[in-house]
């Protein structure tokens, strides 16, 4: 039990942040999916193969949990527009994104297709290597590199529409 508590303490925030970014800043859904991720891991811990890092295994479960939820509920960005706006304007909730540039980056990220969004999130928000992302998302390294690159190009185009420059 102590080991499990340590794992949750160590990785909960990272998995929660991934789920939150995956679902356009919806913190309530992110909390639920984070809990689902940990419940799936604990229920299948006996079948866990000790090859590779546990961290990658946990991210794989989180990515699959988020993707399965999206497929079951056929969710896209428009499903969260109203909730996202409420969260940004609600002073009683923790701010979803504090600074204006970060908000613009999140909005550009939100416009990416799911497969590009998850690759960019894992690379730049969770600092995973391309090889790790490929394994987590069950894609080749070349495909993963392409997803990241194309996602960044699309984000740059979106940010240029808003006149945001980071040079």
């Amino acid at each position: 039990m102590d080991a499990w508590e340590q794992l949750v303490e160590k990785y909960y925030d990272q998995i929660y942040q991934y789920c939150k970014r995956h679902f356009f800043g919806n913190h309530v859904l992110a909390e639920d999916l984070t809990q689902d991720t940990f419940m799936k891991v604990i229920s299948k811990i006996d079948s866990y193969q000790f090859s590779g890092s546990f961290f990658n295994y946990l991210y794989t479960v989180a990515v699959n949990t988020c993707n399965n939820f999206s497929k079951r509920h056929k969710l896209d960005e428009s499903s969260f527009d109203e909730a996202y706006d409420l969260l940004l304007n609600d002073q009683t909730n923790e701010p979803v994104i504090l600074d204006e540039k970060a908000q613009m980056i999140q909005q550009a990220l939100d416009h990416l297709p799911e497969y590009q969004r998850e690759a960019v999130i894992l690379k730049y928000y969770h600092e995973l290597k391309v090889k790790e992302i490929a394994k987590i998302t069950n894609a080749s390294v070349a495909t993963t590199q392409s997803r990241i690159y194309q996602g960044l190009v699309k984000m740059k185009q979106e940010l240029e529409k808003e006149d945001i420059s980071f040079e």
Side-chain angles (χ1 to χ4, degrees), residues 32-43:
D32 289 345
L33 292 171
T34 301
Q35 289 176 4
D36 286 351
T37 298
F38 281 99
M39 293 304 292
K40 287 177 183 175
V41 168
I42 194 69
S43 70

Side-chain angles (χ1 to χ4, degrees), residues 106-130:
Q106 181 65 47
Q107 288 174 348
L109 184 64
D110 293 347
H111 283 94
L112 295 179
E114 188 171 311
Y115 62 92
Q116 289 175 349
R117 185 172 60 248
E118 73 186 9
V120 170
I121 289 169
L122 292 172
K123 174 72 174 154
Y124 293 101
Y125 287 92
H126 299 280
E127 300 175 354
L128 297 179
K129 295 178 177 154
V130 174

Side-chain angles (χ1 to χ4, degrees), residues 25-158:
N26 185 316
H27 71 90
V28 174
L29 182 56
E31 288 171 355
D32 289 345
L33 292 171
T34 301
Q35 289 176 4
D36 286 351
T37 298
F38 281 99
M39 293 304 292
K40 287 177 183 175
V41 168
I42 194 69
S43 70
K44 297 181 186 213
I45 200 72
D46 292 338
S47 64
Y48 171 65
Q49 300 293 320
F50 293 98
S51 63
S53 92
F54 179 77
F55 182 72
N56 286 351
Y57 172 71
L58 186 58
Y59 264 107
T60 301
V61 174
V63 167
N64 290 336
T65 299
C66 289
N67 289 342
N68 290 340
F69 184 86
S70 291
K71 288 175 189 170
R72 272 195 321 270
H73 298 284
K74 295 181 178 32
L75 300 176
D76 61 14
E77 180 182 359
S78 63
S79 304
F80 293 101
D81 284 345
E82 187 176 318
Y84 188 74
D85 290 340
L86 288 173
L87 286 171
L88 286 175
N89 295 321
D90 187 351
Q91 299 301 321
T92 62
N93 287 328
E94 96 179 9
V96 174
I97 301 170
L98 295 176
D99 114 294
E100 195 171 306
K101 281 189 178 182
Q103 183 178 359
M104 293 295 206
I105 292 169
Q106 181 65 47
Q107 288 174 348
L109 184 64
D110 293 347
H111 283 94
L112 295 179
E114 188 171 311
Y115 62 92
Q116 289 175 349
R117 185 172 60 248
E118 73 186 9
V120 170
I121 289 169
L122 292 172
K123 174 72 174 154
Y124 293 101
Y125 287 92
H126 299 280
E127 300 175 354
L128 297 179
K129 295 178 177 154
V130 174
K131 189 175 179 181
E132 294 172 314
I133 298 167
K135 187 173 182 178
I136 289 168
T137 59
N138 199 28
S140 71
V141 170
T143 298
T144 302
Q145 288 172 325
S146 175
R147 289 175 178 177
I148 293 167
Y149 176 77
Q150 291 172 359
L152 292 175
V153 167
K154 288 179 185 176
M155 286 179 69
K156 182 179 179 191
Q157 291 169 347
E158 190 70 29

Side-chain angles (χ1 to χ4, degrees), residues 8-18 34 38 126:
V8 171
E9 272 185 40
K10 184 174 183 177
Y11 296 118
Y12 184 90
D13 192 53
Q14 293 170 328
I15 298 301
Y16 167 77
Q17 291 299 329
Y18 170 78
T34 301
F38 281 99
H126 299 280

